[in-house]
Amino acid sequence: LSALLRNWTGGLGRTTALTGDLLVPSTSEIINVRGRKRALKQTMSRQQKLERRLKREEREAKRKQFTFMERINIKRMRSLLSPSEQFPGRFNRDKEVSLPEQPLTNIFIRSNVKTQFYSVAEALAMHKELQHPSIYNNPKAPLRLRLELNMNTEKQTKPVGSSDEIVPVPHPFSHNEKRTILAFVNDVKLQEAAVEAGAEIAVGADMVKKIIKGQFRVDDYDFCVAHQDIGTSILPLRGILKSRFPTKLNGGLGTDLPQMIEMFKSGVKVNIKADPVYPIWGLCNVVIGKLDMPAEEVEANIATILAAVCAHRNAALGPFVNRALLMTIPGEEHVALNVDAWLPVPSEEEVDKLERRRNKKYKKKEVEAKKKDDDDDDEEGEKKTEKKVEKKEEEDDDDDEEEEKKKAEVVDDDKKKSVASA
């Protein structure tokens, strides 16, 4: 045992002695640890200190480039997908080429077959089954139409922009939204009629200056309507009202104030939003009715909304709607709708105009490219001719020098002969 202990302790560089049951070292080593950290710290040259200072300043500049909340939002955006790719995702036909057309049974996994498109009546029947009292128990659930849009236009750098508008539907429904409306009209009787129709307040042209000075707040109102007689007087408010400024395009300018107010009260909000990650994609979420409405009324509302949405883009460019999904609020269950019958079909004249414009652009580009090539060829030809002229001039100079040398040699020979004869 003592021999084994000696061998074991020999690796430690120490001699030991066995006294009873205790192992006591007979020698000890003293190590001076004073100034160890100072010794480990390496000295830095001026160049290394300069590099470290530049790196620190660069990090500080990056940190001050954005505010604290902006940095947090950037980190969040990096981890998030685009709104179009979030549930239920964006429809892509190319990814479903290898999948079967129809499922073999009435119960199937959606990802294993191609996207199945249903009529409005079939989609409503599916949602009504889910809203059975034993499941979700909401037979009057609001219906939401989710439209996936193609935002590309003739100009690749200018897609369809985001927009908000109110669209009157043929079969209105209660949307349970409080919408405040401000009416602009000079006639006192029309002001009273506008308030009776549902406007919060009706004002005349004398309030325009107060609004500009900030004495009357217009931020408390969701929409604005105006009579046609006061249209020129409210032009200074265009920069203040912005998208709420009443025009004929958004239906806020006209002569029948009660009808316009009713449209803004019972109409449907249609908001088209461009994808921040992929600008050529877009989304549009619209509430189109209630689940207890007849299928014919829901179809009429969908047709009206699709016509208003598709008016934002030329039909000759192709289908504006990539896919339409019918959903309920609340809920994530979605059914793809077959809306081809309600999409606008471009006429032959529109297609011909688009092709002519494209051909003009291509011809213009070809002419510019050809002109550029001709200019390059002319420049190269001029350079070649200049080089030839310079080379010829150099050759002529060399010939002149040789002739002068020969003449000088002949003169020298004559002088030598005359000296020799003398």
Side-chain angles (χ1 to χ4, degrees):
L1 180 61
S2 60
L4 290 171
L5 288 171
R6 288 193 194 98
N7 293 332
W8 177 66
T9 55
L12 299 175
R14 297 178 181 180
T15 59
T16 57
L18 186 64
T19 57
D21 296 334
L22 298 174
L23 187 65
V24 180
S26 59
T27 59
S28 61
E29 296 177 0
I30 298 172
I31 302 172
N32 186 12
V33 297
R34 185 179 179 184
R36 186 175 178 83
K37 292 184 179 178
R38 190 182 299 172
L40 289 173
K41 188 176 180 181
Q42 297 178 356
T43 57
M44 297 179 67
S45 63
R46 287 186 178 181
Q47 183 64 26
Q48 290 175 341
K49 289 180 180 178
L50 179 62
E51 290 177 358
R52 187 175 67 173
R53 183 170 62 82
L54 292 174
K55 287 181 181 178
R56 186 170 62 249
E57 290 177 355
E58 187 179 354
R59 288 196 303 269
E60 190 70 16
K62 285 182 180 179
R63 188 180 66 81
K64 290 181 178 179
Q65 187 178 1
F66 302 102
T67 62
F68 178 73
M69 290 306 299
E70 286 175 346
R71 289 199 301 273
I72 290 175
N73 291 330
I74 289 168
K75 288 180 181 178
R76 287 176 180 171
M77 287 301 294
R78 286 175 181 171
S79 60
L80 292 176
L81 294 172
S82 70
S84 300
E85 290 180 331
Q86 292 178 11
F87 184 85
R90 185 175 173 86
F91 175 59
N92 190 353
R93 294 183 186 274
D94 297 335
K95 293 182 179 179
E96 298 182 356
V97 173
S98 60
L99 298 177
E101 293 284 344
Q102 296 290 336
L104 300 177
T105 60
N106 58 350
I107 299 174
F108 59 92
I109 300 173
R110 284 180 172 176
S111 59
N112 292 344
V113 295
K114 289 185 177 179
T115 303
Q116 305 297 306
F117 293 92
Y118 301 93
S119 63
V120 175
E122 293 172 342
L124 289 174
M126 292 179 185
H127 282 297
K128 286 178 181 178
E129 289 180 1
L130 288 173
Q131 300 299 336
H132 191 270
S134 61
I135 307 177
Y136 290 126
N137 193 19
N138 190 7
K140 295 183 179 181
L143 294 172
R144 177 161 67 98
L145 185 67
R146 185 179 190 267
L147 300 176
E148 300 170 4
L149 306 176
N150 300 314
M151 308 289 278
N152 56 339
T153 58
E154 293 183 38
K155 295 182 179 180
Q156 295 181 355
T157 58
K158 191 177 180 181
V160 179
S162 302
S163 62
D164 295 325
E165 60 179 321
I166 295 292
V167 178
V169 290
H171 301 283
F173 54 92
S174 60
H175 45 70
N176 298 327
E177 292 181 11
K178 186 180 179 181
R179 299 176 182 176
T180 55
I181 299 173
L182 173 64
F184 290 96
V185 58
N186 283 324
D187 192 358
V188 179
K189 292 183 180 180
L190 292 176
Q191 289 180 358
E192 294 176 357
V195 173
E196 289 177 359
E200 294 293 321
I201 188 172
V203 297
D206 55 336
M207 292 295 292
V208 174
K209 291 183 179 179
K210 293 184 179 180
I211 293 171
I212 294 171
K213 292 179 180 178
Q215 298 175 358
F216 184 83
R217 287 179 58 84
V218 294
D219 298 335
D220 301 332
Y221 302 96
D222 299 323
F223 305 100
C224 298
V225 296
H227 196 271
Q228 199 165 1
D229 296 338
I230 203 174
T232 56
S233 302
I234 61 173
L235 285 176
L237 302 178
R238 184 182 292 274
I240 299 173
L241 298 177
K242 296 179 181 179
S243 60
R244 293 174 296 167
F245 186 79
T247 60
K248 289 185 178 180
L249 292 174
N250 59 20
L253 182 65
T255 55
D256 194 350
L257 282 178
Q259 184 180 357
M260 291 188 292
I261 292 169
E262 182 62 26
M263 183 196 75
F264 281 101
K265 282 282 186 183
S266 61
V268 174
K269 284 184 179 180
V270 177
N271 58 335
I272 298 173
K273 291 184 179 180
D275 195 303
V277 183
Y278 302 100
I280 59 172
W281 294 351
L283 285 175
C284 180
N285 291 292
V286 190
V287 179
I288 58 169
K290 295 293 186 73
L291 188 59
D292 59 344
M293 292 174 63
E296 294 79 10
E297 294 182 0
V298 177
E299 287 180 359
N301 289 351
I302 291 174
T304 304
I305 290 165
L306 286 173
V309 170
C310 293
H312 290 266
R313 183 171 172 265
N314 189 1
L317 293 169
F320 187 34
V321 178
N322 184 52
R323 182 176 63 167
L325 299 176
L326 188 64
M327 309 173 71
T328 56
I329 301 176
E332 294 183 349
E333 180 62 27
H334 57 279
V335 181
L337 295 178
N338 184 9
V339 295
D340 293 339
W342 300 311
L343 296 179
V345 179
S347 61
E348 293 182 359
E349 294 180 359
E350 293 176 348
V351 176
D352 292 339
K353 285 182 181 179
L354 181 63
E355 288 180 356
R356 286 174 196 164
R357 286 196 294 269
R358 285 179 175 174
N359 292 333
K360 282 183 181 178
K361 289 180 182 178
Y362 292 143
K363 286 180 180 178
K364 190 176 180 181
K365 288 180 180 179
E366 288 177 359
V367 169
E368 288 177 355
K370 191 175 180 182
K371 189 177 180 182
K372 191 176 180 181
D373 294 338
D374 294 339
D375 294 339
D376 294 338
D377 294 338
D378 294 339
E379 289 178 0
E380 290 179 0
E382 289 176 359
K383 287 179 180 179
K384 287 179 180 180
T385 52
E386 288 177 359
K387 286 181 180 179
K388 287 180 180 179
V389 171
E390 290 176 358
K391 193 174 181 181
K392 191 174 181 182
E393 288 177 354
E394 289 176 358
E395 290 177 355
D396 295 338
D397 294 337
D398 294 338
D399 294 338
D400 294 338
E401 288 177 0
E402 289 178 358
E403 288 179 0
E404 288 178 357
K405 286 180 180 180
K406 288 179 180 180
K407 287 180 180 178
E409 288 176 358
V410 170
V411 171
D412 292 338
D413 292 339
D414 293 339
K415 285 181 179 180
K416 287 179 183 179
K417 287 179 182 180
S418 61
V419 169
S421 60

